[in-house]
């Protein structure tokens, strides 16, 4: 038999833990540990999510606040620059920056930037300023016609060389500032959007009434005061070397600035000139065709004109009239105002009059200005070189040329004579300004024929030095210029002295120089219309009190009289 093998006690496996149910206390402990781990895990995960959410919210708020601050910063310094105070001389003014003009209306929503290469910015100006013109400016004088202002400013900004001039818009109607500034903003935005150009840097000038007199409130008074204000601000306060004055109802030609840049050296070197104007009073389409031709004239044209700072500071500023009887522009035409000097004007105007309502233009009269020739865009990009050598406009050279033209006109039979009394008929014949002779040079008007020759219109009185003796009217050496009493006619004045009044001689009394010899003229010389002119105002209640008045539209008569004036009469022996 096989002996039995003794039993071996069982050894616990090292790979298997004893079952949980083997020890109940151990089972409970393990369950608690597992629950505790799940509980703290959920808390940790929940805390983690909350922190992540808070971080996200705070980051979003920070980005939004930063964007808002940057936007405000940009608007403040790029589009809403605060006004810079200007010294109130002669009236208060403030000058917001150009960009603030461009944001006067709500900003359009930004459009996505197109893909591909960007369009090039506007080309640099073909003009360059001469050394005598270091710091020029242009001011647009405006009242309350925002439509005209927008058109005027749009054309001005597009003109070649506008970037070389500081541009101002001067306003004189506080109640209309808002809508006028909106019009300016629209013009600036259209210019910037259309040309891809930078901010043109426009600035505002704001005039407030100096007094509440009836004359200050009148159209003539307000316009005169506004021009004085604009000239003072641009030339004296801002210190610009040259200032172009443009009115809100004038549109500039593409080569508008070229004209002024080309002629600035003439103002610098010829003391017989005091201004350059973009307007030709005789520039109707039928008689004006050469855009390169310039003239000298002793009849101030205005309508887009330029003077130097020294002209304002040294002459006109001290003389500017408190009460220009028929307007500041008529006053500028007086020899006592311009010191017998002249202006340069183009044959073809560089401004176009678009207004059909205003102080000097009534509704329905716009067709008058539609007859004027206007320069196109053909010569705008050559930097003003199309005007050529302008030495022919120097006084001595010009006089030689004019004398030669008169001589040729005599030989060719193309000279025609006129007087103030016969001007209306001559003007109608040649399609010229009918009210009075304008654009004259010492009594001469040159009409440029298409073949290059000139027709000469000559005033028998004022152009006598150019004419043959038999055609010239000169003062009678026997004439006596006699001051009359208040309300007296020249017939009565001459009759008291045993003399007779001569109507032809009366026009030789019709000058500021002659009036200053006869009367004190404490309030200066002024322009007026009337058959009793020239005369001296003696009624204290008249706004022209103590002015000496002369006329250029109607011829004096011997029988005319006025209760507020004293006449200067021309008397001859019986």
């Amino acid at each position: 038999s096989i002996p039995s093998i003794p039993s071996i006690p069982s050894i616990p496996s090292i790979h298997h833990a004893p079952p949980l149910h083997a020890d109940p206390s151990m089972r409970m402990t393990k369950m608690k540990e597992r629950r505790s781990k799940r509980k703290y895990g959920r808390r940790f995960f929940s805390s983690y999510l909350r922190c992540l959410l808070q971080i996200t919210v705070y980051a979003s708020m920070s980005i939004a606040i930063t964007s808002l601050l940057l936007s405000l910063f940009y608007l403040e310094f790029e589009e809403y620059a605060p006004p810079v105070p200007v010294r109130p001389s002669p009236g208060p003014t403030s000058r917001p920056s150009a960009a603030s003009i461009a944001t006067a209306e709500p900003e359009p929503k930004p459009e996505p930037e197109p893909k591909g290469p960007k369009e090039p910015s506007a080309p640099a100006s073909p003009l360059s300023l001469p050394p005598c013109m270091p710091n020029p400016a242009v001011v647009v004088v405006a009242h309350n016609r925002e439509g005209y202002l927008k058109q005027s400013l749009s054309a001005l900004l597009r003109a070649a060389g506008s970037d070389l001039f500081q541009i101002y818009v001067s306003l004189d109607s506080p109640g209309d500032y808002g809508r006028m500034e909106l019009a300016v903003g629209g013009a600036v935005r259209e210019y910037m959007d259309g040309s891809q150009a930078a901010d043109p840097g426009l600035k505002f000038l704001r005039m407030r009434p100096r007094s509440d007199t009836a004359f200050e409130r009148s159209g003539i008074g307000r316009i005169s005061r506004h021009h004085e204000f604009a000239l003072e601000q641009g030339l004296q306060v801002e210190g610009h070397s040259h200032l172009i004055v443009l009115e809100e109802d004038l549109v500039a030609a593409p080569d508008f600035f070229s004209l002024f840049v080309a002629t600035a050296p003439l103002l610098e070197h010829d003391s017989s000139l005091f201004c350059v104007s973009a307007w030709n009073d005789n520039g109707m389409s039928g008689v004006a065709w050469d855009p390169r031709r310039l003239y000298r004239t002793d009849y101030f044209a205005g309508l887009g004109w330029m003077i130097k700072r020294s002209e304002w500071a040294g002459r006109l500023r001290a003389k500017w009239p408190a009460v220009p009887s028929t307007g500041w522009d008529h006053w500028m035409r007086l020899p006592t105002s311009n010191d017998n000097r002249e202006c340069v004007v183009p044959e073809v105007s560089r401004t176009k009059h678009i207004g059909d309502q205003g102080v000097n233009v009534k509704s329905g009269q716009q067709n008058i200005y539609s007859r004027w020739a206007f320069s196109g865009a053909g010569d705008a990009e050559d930097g003003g070189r199309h005007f050529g050598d302008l030495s022919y406009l120097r006084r001595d050279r010009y006089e030689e040329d004019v004398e030669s033209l008169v001589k040729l006109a005599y030989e060719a039979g193309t000279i025609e004579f006129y007087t103030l009394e016969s001007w209306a008929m001559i003007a109608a014949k040649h399609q010229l300004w009918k009210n009075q002779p304008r654009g004259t040079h010492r009594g001469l008007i040159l009409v440029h024929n298409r073949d290059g020759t000139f027709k000469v219109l000559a005033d028998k009185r004022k152009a006598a030095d150019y004419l043959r003796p038999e055609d010239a009217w000169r003062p009678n050496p026997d004439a006596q210029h006699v001051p009359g009493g208040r309300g007296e006619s020249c017939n009565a004045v001459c009759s008291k002295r045993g003399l007779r009044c001569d109507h032809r001689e009366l026009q030789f009394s019709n000058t500021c120089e002659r009036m200053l010899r006869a009367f004190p003229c404490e309030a200066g010389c002024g322009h007026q219309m009337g058959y009793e002119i020239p005369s001296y105002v003696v009624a204290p209640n008249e706004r022209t009190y103590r002015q000496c008045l002369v006329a250029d539209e109607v011829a004096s008569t011997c029988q005319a009289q006025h209760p507020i004036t004293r006449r200067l009469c021309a008397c001859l022996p019986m």
Side-chain angles (χ1 to χ4, degrees), residues 70-82 96-103 107 188 192 198-201:
L70 288 175
S71 177
L72 292 175
F73 180 85
Y74 174 78
L75 289 175
E76 176 67 20
F77 290 95
E78 292 295 329
E79 298 185 10
Y80 291 100
S97 69
S100 68
I101 304 171
T103 56
E107 281 289 321
V188 170
M192 294 174 66
D199 183 350

Side-chain angles (χ1 to χ4, degrees), residues 382-398:
D382 73 348
R385 292 183 294 276
H386 58 284
F387 291 108
D389 180 7
L390 298 182
S391 61
Y392 69 91
L393 292 167
R394 296 287 187 93
R395 175 171 51 187
D396 294 341
R397 166 81 179 277
Y398 197 81

Side-chain angles (χ1 to χ4, degrees), residues 403 410 418-419 442 459-479 481 502-509 514 570 572:
E403 289 175 2
Y410 264 115
Y418 71 90
T419 62
R442 298 179 59 194
D459 187 323
K460 288 191 169 188
R461 293 185 180 93
K462 294 182 177 181
D465 290 342
Y466 296 106
L467 306 181
R468 293 173 180 171
E470 63 269 23
D471 298 320
W473 285 9
R474 297 186 181 275
N476 190 320
D478 295 329
H481 297 273
D502 186 85
H503 74 276
R504 176 169 153 175
E505 288 297 317
L506 279 176
Q507 291 308 310
F508 292 110
S509 298
R514 181 70 71 177
L572 290 174

Side-chain angles (χ1 to χ4, degrees), residues 229-273:
F229 169 81
L231 289 164
E232 176 72 7
Q233 293 297 312
L235 295 169
Q236 200 69 13
V237 176
E238 297 294 337
H240 291 287
S241 62
H242 298 70
L243 185 68
I244 301 172
V245 181
L246 194 69
E247 294 165 62
E248 66 187 346
D249 56 359
L250 296 174
V251 169
D255 62 345
F256 174 81
F257 289 108
S258 301
L259 169 68
F260 295 106
V261 170
T263 53
L266 287 171
L267 290 186
E268 185 70 18
H269 301 295
D270 190 338
S271 60
S272 65
L273 295 171

Side-chain angles (χ1 to χ4, degrees), residues 253 255 259 263 276-297 301 343-351 371-376 386-387 390 392-393 398 405 431-432 438-439 445-455:
D255 62 345
L259 169 68
T263 53
V276 178
S277 175
W279 176 261
N280 180 7
D281 279 311
N282 296 326
M284 289 76 165
S285 298
V287 294
W289 57 272
D290 186 355
R292 295 164 174 77
R293 181 78 188 187
L294 306 180
Y295 298 92
R296 294 175 63 114
T297 177
C343 296
V344 174
V345 300
E347 180 170 307
V348 178
S349 295
R350 263 55 180 192
T351 52
R371 297 164 48 203
W372 264 256
F374 183 60
S375 177
H386 58 284
F387 291 108
L390 298 182
Y392 69 91
L393 292 167
Y398 197 81
L405 288 175
Q431 303 177 34
L432 299 175
R438 297 191 174 198
I445 296 175
L446 304 178
V447 180
H448 199 183
N449 298 319
R450 288 279 178 175
D451 60 3
T453 62
F454 286 85
K455 182 181 296 181

Side-chain angles (χ1 to χ4, degrees), residues 169-353:
V169 175
S170 185
L171 304 174
D172 67 2
S173 178
D176 297 301
Y177 284 167
R179 60 190 181 89
M180 296 298 280
E181 290 170 7
L182 287 176
V184 173
V188 170
R189 273 196 307 280
E190 289 177 6
Y191 165 72
M192 294 174 66
D193 293 343
S195 64
Q196 300 294 316
D199 183 350
L202 273 72
K203 298 179 181 179
F204 282 125
L205 301 174
R206 293 183 177 88
M207 188 198 81
R208 298 188 182 277
R210 177 187 294 170
S211 63
D212 195 36
T213 63
F215 181 73
E216 183 88 10
R217 294 192 304 270
S218 70
I220 290 176
R222 173 180 48 77
I223 293 173
S224 174
R225 169 80 176 89
H226 197 171
H227 277 77
E228 179 189 16
F229 169 81
L231 289 164
E232 176 72 7
Q233 293 297 312
L235 295 169
Q236 200 69 13
V237 176
E238 297 294 337
H240 291 287
S241 62
H242 298 70
L243 185 68
I244 301 172
V245 181
L246 194 69
E247 294 165 62
E248 66 187 346
D249 56 359
L250 296 174
V251 169
D255 62 345
F256 174 81
F257 289 108
S258 301
L259 169 68
F260 295 106
V261 170
T263 53
L266 287 171
L267 290 186
E268 185 70 18
H269 301 295
D270 190 338
S271 60
S272 65
L273 295 171
F274 82 97
C275 89
V276 178
S277 175
W279 176 261
N280 180 7
D281 279 311
N282 296 326
M284 289 76 165
S285 298
V287 294
W289 57 272
D290 186 355
R292 295 164 174 77
R293 181 78 188 187
L294 306 180
Y295 298 92
R296 294 175 63 114
T297 177
D298 49 29
Y299 191 93
F300 175 75
L303 301 184
W305 54 284
M306 179 181 78
I307 60 171
K308 299 189 302 178
R309 182 177 184 274
S310 59
E311 180 65 34
W312 175 251
R315 298 176 187 261
L316 294 175
R317 186 173 185 248
K319 295 180 180 181
W320 197 267
V323 182
S325 50
T326 57
W328 68 274
D329 50 345
H330 283 290
W331 177 84
M332 288 279 282
R333 293 164 185 149
L334 300 174
T336 49
S337 303
N338 58 45
D339 296 325
N340 281 299
R341 292 172 302 146
E342 295 185 300
C343 296
V344 174
V345 300
E347 180 170 307
V348 178
S349 295
R350 263 55 180 192
T351 52
K352 179 169 65 175
H353 199 292

Side-chain angles (χ1 to χ4, degrees), residues 345-384:
V345 300
E347 180 170 307
V348 178
S349 295
R350 263 55 180 192
T351 52
K352 179 169 65 175
H353 199 292
I354 59 173
D356 60 359
Q357 291 186 15
V359 174
N360 298 309
V361 180
K362 306 303 179 187
S363 180
Q365 292 183 334
Q366 173 54 25
N367 60 330
I368 296 175
Y369 293 101
S370 65
R371 297 164 48 203
W372 264 256
F374 183 60
S375 177
D379 296 312
E381 299 300 327
D382 73 348

